[in-house]
């Protein structure tokens, strides 16, 4: 087989694998969690300005990779939230700076306290 024919064959096979064609997803759908099915936003208008500002950072950064419903409807203790925020900061292309990570953590900690109060915990 000539080199040019071999190259064309390989390119065709790779191209078919890399480009799934019409009606097919390029990537498998993201895993869905039970928390994804809950509310996906919070009315923070009655919360302190700092909480509102932190919510804006949370909403802008965390929605890049998953639904906001996931963290909004998840119940964790503050050390667990801190661990998860650090994990998300370390994900490739998260774009979450250290300062933004702190704001996201502060929001999630506040929100968890609110949920706990509402649930009588």
């Amino acid at each position: 087989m000539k080199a040019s024919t071999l190259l064309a064959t390989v390119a065709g096979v790779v191209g078919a694998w890399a480009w799934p064609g019409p009606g097919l997803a390029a990537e498998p759908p993201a895993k869905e969690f039970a928390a994804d099915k809950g509310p996906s936003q919070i009315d923070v208008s009655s919360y302190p300005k700092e909480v509102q500002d932190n919510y804006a950072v949370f909403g802008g950064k965390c929605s890049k990779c998953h639904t906001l419903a996931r963290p909004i409807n998840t119940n964790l203790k503050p050390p667990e939230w801190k661990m998860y925020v650090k994990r998300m900061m370390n994900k490739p292309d998260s774009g979450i700076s250290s300062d933004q990570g702190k704001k996201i953590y502060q929001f999630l900690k506040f929100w968890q306290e609110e949920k706990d109060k509402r649930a009588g915990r």
Side-chain angles (χ1 to χ4, degrees):
M1 182 180 283
K2 292 186 349 186
S4 60
T5 306
L6 177 61
L7 184 58
T9 302
V10 170
V13 170
V14 170
W17 172 78
W19 186 259
L24 299 176
E27 296 180 24
K31 186 174 179 183
E32 186 173 76
F33 295 86
D36 291 330
K37 297 177 183 175
S40 62
Q41 58 187 3
I42 301 167
D43 178 4
V44 296
S45 61
S46 65
Y47 295 148
K49 172 119 174 61
E50 182 180 13
V51 172
Q52 293 178 30
D53 293 345
N54 291 347
Y55 177 73
V57 174
F58 159 77
K61 291 296 182 176
C62 298
S63 64
K64 283 178 60 179
C65 300
H66 54 75
T67 67
L68 287 183
R70 187 173 301 169
I72 287 172
N73 299 298
T74 296
N75 293 308
L76 297 175
K77 297 189 181 324
E80 296 168 313
W81 277 124
K82 187 174 275 190
M83 178 190 71
Y84 272 91
V85 171
K86 284 182 180 180
R87 183 185 299 168
M88 297 302 118
M89 289 172 64
N90 289 320
K91 295 235 177 218
D93 302 322
S94 77
I96 302 172
S97 69
S98 179
D99 184 57
Q100 292 166 330
K102 288 175 188 173
K103 290 177 181 186
I104 292 167
Y105 168 73
Q106 288 299 320
F107 171 74
L108 290 168
K109 183 178 172 213
F110 175 89
W111 178 239
Q112 187 64 58
E113 291 167 358
E114 285 294 306
K115 291 188 293 183
D116 289 347
K117 283 181 207 172
R118 293 175 188 186
R121 293 181 253 179

